[in-house]
Amino acid sequence: MRRWHAEHHRADRVGWLRAAVLGANDGIVSIAGLVVGVAASGAGPGTVLTSGIAGVVAGAMSMAAGEYVSVQSQADTERADIAKETRELAEDADSELAELTHIYVKRGLSEALAHDVAIQLTAHDALGSHARDELGITETLRARPLQAALASAAAFVAGAVLPIGAVVLAPAAHVAPVAMGTTLVSLLGSGALAAWTGGAPVTRGAVRVAFWGALAMGAAALVGSQFHVQG
């Protein structure tokens, strides 16, 4: 018999990683777009910086609230499905056993083996077996609203630091181009990091994120240039 060996997978990162990647990219892109748009309007560095900081606060809160509400809805649905499955197991265990058997038959087991597997898994953990194999709910991929909210908000602030830093350090006459350049480099880095963390092609992830970021900043600069603000 071959010895069991531990394997390292990335699926357990899905919940917080998705929220963190979304938060970081949104922090970089939205705040960069904001400061570039305001700078393109002719506003002074102080106004640009104030706008950027206000955007960071509002954006982080918005990301946290949005993630929490969205993932909480998923968690509520999961709880409702598990409660329904608990009732069905209590009221009609035979039908639930047949249902589990049918699931395993569809996955390639013979009728007899599927029935034996269903009996043994039901004896071990009936609700867990149905949650996993019928509903697709596992502990690894289960919705975690607070984790998603915190990851998204923290990542948003971390991403927003980059364009804000560019505004602080750039010469007053070159805030927009410096912010755009810094943001594009940052997006390439964040896209590459997210792809690497998730096991995806690094170059493709970096270019994809940078492309949409450049598009957003270009649109913001175009809109801002239509206004002429002094000071």
Side-chain angles (χ1 to χ4, degrees), residues 12-29:
D12 58 343
R13 305 174 181 174
V14 169
W16 66 263
L17 178 60
R18 181 197 63 80
V21 169
L22 178 62
N25 287 338
D26 196 32
I28 296 172
V29 174

Side-chain angles (χ1 to χ4, degrees), residues 126-212:
L127 182 59
S129 299
H130 281 272
R132 179 185 62 250
D133 296 324
E134 181 183 346
L135 304 176
I137 299 173
T138 66
E139 189 59 33
T140 299
L141 300 179
R142 200 160 184 177
R144 294 177 174 84
L146 186 58
Q147 180 193 65
L150 293 176
S152 184
F156 183 94
V157 173
V161 165
L162 298 168
I164 291 295
V167 172
V168 172
L169 299 176
H174 303 290
V175 169
V178 170
M180 292 181 74
T182 302
T183 299
L184 286 176
V185 172
S186 302
L187 288 172
L188 286 169
S190 70
L193 179 61
W196 176 79
T197 304
V202 172
T203 302
R204 184 185 304 168
V207 172
R208 180 172 53 207
V209 173
F211 170 78
W212 288 107

